[in-house]
Amino acid sequence: MAAAALRLGHASLRSSLVPAGSSGRSIAFNGFRCYSSAKTQTLKEAFAAKLPDEIEKVKKLRKDYGSKVIGEVTLDQVYGGARGIKSLVWEGSVLDSEEGIRFRGKTTYTLDKIPECQKLLPKAPGGEEPLPEGLFWLLLTGEVPSEEQVRSLSAEWAARSDVPKFVEELIDRCPNDLHPMAQFSLAVTALEHESAFAKAYAKGMKKTDYWGYTFEDSMDLIAKLPTIAARIYQNVFKGGKVVPVEKDKDYSFNLANQLGFGSNKDFVELMRLYLTIHSDHEGGNVSAHTTHLVGSALSSPMLSLAAGLNGLAGPLHGLANQEVLNWLQKMKSSVGNDLSDQNITDYLWSTLKSGQVVPGYGHAVLRKTDPRYVSQREFALRHLPDDPMFKLVSQVYKIAPGVLTEHGKTKNPNPNVDAHSGVLLQYYGLTEKNFYTVLFGVSRAIGVLPQLIIDRALGAPIERPKSFSTEALAKLVGANL
């Protein structure tokens, strides 16, 4: 880790952030926008205040234990997608095979108590689900924000939400049969034109300034994603115009409203839940790892996230929820209203015997039901308990683990997050399955960009693992091919 990045102190950070005598609502930090008051600490201020201690903590950890062995690597892991290899730093979340995901040490769902994130993170007035603004704050700082801080962050994202005219025109020129994820990635890449990091780097800046520009780009980027996503949705599926962002509303409301569902308060609540639970899932998944990897080359947040979105677009990653809904709808056509245990069991076996997998079941790390599935199921039980597709999902949830266990080829026979999300979206009228991964992408940005800011603040180096040919690996294990 660069020595310069480790010698940051409280005084130098604060002098670079807060001009002397500033106390107004809108403050310019190094030429950047920040929305604050004399009483409420902004997100940028909160992160800057914690940074010196975090740098020292990592410095001491590496000094005292840098040569400590933390794991071994088998040949199977090398050929098996690097599963289980301990080689990434990801501060926001840790995934446990039995417990599920924790965001900064806080649970997302447990069977015996209220999940800590749902309990502690601020909600919209009258709402039940956490606001993703609060989760972004938690992922970046490790601290639960106050309601006032979350409202301020909502206002800041709304104020930054205007999309450049040329990006709007770029989206409008895309053919309607170009997949929405390709359009989404294209638009995010084009925002590189606006990148404060790229412009500052081209002029020359100190390494200790990297994180500030990365922060500004990340905030601008997240703020613009709902309008970009909604423009793609309206162009491809509805042919209508995108309504402006309402500056006094939260992020999820504006996304729902721009998609055309703002008048449905339950759908707005679903968006708050969806954006929160799809945001972050450790750093080893394709979209998170790709964003981190590309960012390690000092590519801007725009280019880094666009790369991550291209990974998310793959059928083995973000497209999985679309595949689940397709499979469920085929099952519904086959079994009709007969959701008996025997009928569901027979259909599951027919899927497996045809050489297919049961989509939405199994997970690379988890060995129990995905807590994100459970949170969606709880939402459905409260809001759509009698929906025929939810009843089908519930029956599959009841029967599939036993069938998959008997089949014997699945390490985790329980459902993951993708097994439920499509059914919730289609219930409220968002039936365009090709668009679902775009929503996933909006959410994933909220999870991966905090780590990108942390990477630049801690002076993380370019990522460059060692590779071997099959012949070289054979020599390492003493094999003759």
Side-chain angles (χ1 to χ4, degrees), residues 139-355:
L139 293 176
L140 183 59
T141 68
E143 297 177 345
V144 175
S146 67
E147 287 195 17
E148 186 176 0
Q149 287 171 325
V150 167
R151 303 291 178 259
S152 178
L153 185 54
S154 295
E156 181 165 4
W157 282 353
R160 294 174 181 251
S161 64
D162 291 344
V163 175
K165 184 68 175 176
F166 84 93
V167 177
E168 293 180 343
E169 293 173 349
L170 182 64
I171 297 170
D172 293 345
R173 289 174 179 271
C174 288
N176 284 353
D177 57 354
L178 178 63
H179 195 285
M181 274 301 284
Q183 297 188 42
F184 195 42
S185 172
L186 180 67
V188 170
T189 300
L191 287 174
E192 173 73 0
H193 184 268
E194 311 298 306
S195 171
F197 182 93
K199 292 173 182 176
Y201 191 88
K203 292 179 180 178
M205 63 172 162
K206 296 183 296 183
K207 291 182 179 180
T208 51
D209 290 337
Y210 286 175
W211 79 264
Y213 289 95
T214 301
F215 177 91
E216 294 298 331
D217 275 0
S218 297
M219 293 284 280
D220 278 341
L221 181 51
I222 290 172
K224 292 170 173 47
L225 294 181
T227 301
I228 290 172
R231 195 174 194 92
I232 294 167
Y233 180 74
Q234 295 292 347
N235 283 355
V236 175
F237 302 111
K238 300 297 181 181
K241 294 183 178 180
V242 180
V243 299
V245 165
E246 296 189 22
K247 305 297 185 181
D248 61 339
K249 297 293 177 62
D250 65 87
Y251 190 78
S252 304
F253 172 85
N254 275 311
L255 175 59
N257 194 46
Q258 290 184 304
L259 293 173
F261 299 89
S263 61
N264 189 323
K265 64 180 182 62
D266 289 343
F267 183 86
V268 173
E269 277 288 278
L270 175 61
M271 282 295 96
R272 292 168 181 149
L273 172 65
Y274 185 100
L275 293 178
T276 299
I277 66 174
H278 285 79
S279 61
D280 194 29
H281 213 231
E282 273 197 345
N285 65 76
V286 170
S287 53
H289 186 196
T290 303
T291 303
H292 162 78
L293 172 63
V294 175
S296 79
L298 297 187
S299 297
S300 75
M302 286 72 172
L303 297 181
S304 301
L305 180 64
L309 292 174
N310 288 335
L312 189 67
L316 294 183
H317 193 14
L319 283 188
N321 59 359
Q322 181 178 325
E323 293 190 339
V324 170
L325 187 56
N326 285 333
W327 179 76
L328 287 170
Q329 289 174 334
K330 289 179 181 177
M331 182 193 293
K332 189 70 171 68
S333 297
S334 176
V335 303
N337 294 322
D338 182 4
L339 304 184
S340 64
D341 290 3
Q342 188 60 54
N343 226 14
I344 300 302
T345 299
D346 291 344
Y347 193 90
L348 287 165
W349 277 114
S350 70
T351 297
L352 294 169
K353 289 177 180 178
S354 69

Side-chain angles (χ1 to χ4, degrees), residues 27-48:
I27 303 174
F29 290 165
N30 290 333
F32 295 129
R33 295 160 295 176
C34 193
Y35 300 79
S36 178
S37 69
K39 296 181 179 179
T40 304
Q41 188 181 44
T42 68
L43 176 55
K44 194 170 189 179
E45 291 168 336
F47 180 72

Side-chain angles (χ1 to χ4, degrees), residues 46-67:
F47 180 72
K50 293 179 64 68
L51 185 53
D53 288 343
E54 291 301 309
I55 290 172
E56 288 303 314
K57 181 171 69 175
V58 173
K59 181 180 179 181
K60 186 176 189 305
L61 180 65
R62 295 188 66 184
K63 179 182 178 182
D64 294 347
Y65 300 97
S67 61

Side-chain angles (χ1 to χ4, degrees), residues 392-454:
L392 175 60
V393 167
S394 295
Q395 268 296 81
V396 175
Y397 179 42
K398 173 185 174 184
I399 303 298
V403 170
L404 290 169
T405 299
E406 183 179 346
H407 187 243
K409 295 185 178 181
T410 305
K411 292 182 178 179
N412 174 17
N414 300 295
N416 58 52
V417 66
D418 299 310
H420 214 310
S421 55
V423 166
L424 295 177
L425 293 170
Q426 63 88 36
Y427 174 80
Y428 289 106
L430 206 164
T431 59
E432 298 83 5
K433 290 172 283 189
N434 275 0
F435 186 74
Y436 290 175
T437 314
V438 174
L439 291 179
F440 197 163
V442 174
S443 174
R444 186 47 54 97
I446 294 169
V448 300
L449 291 176
Q451 184 61 44
L452 207 63
I453 298 166
I454 293 168

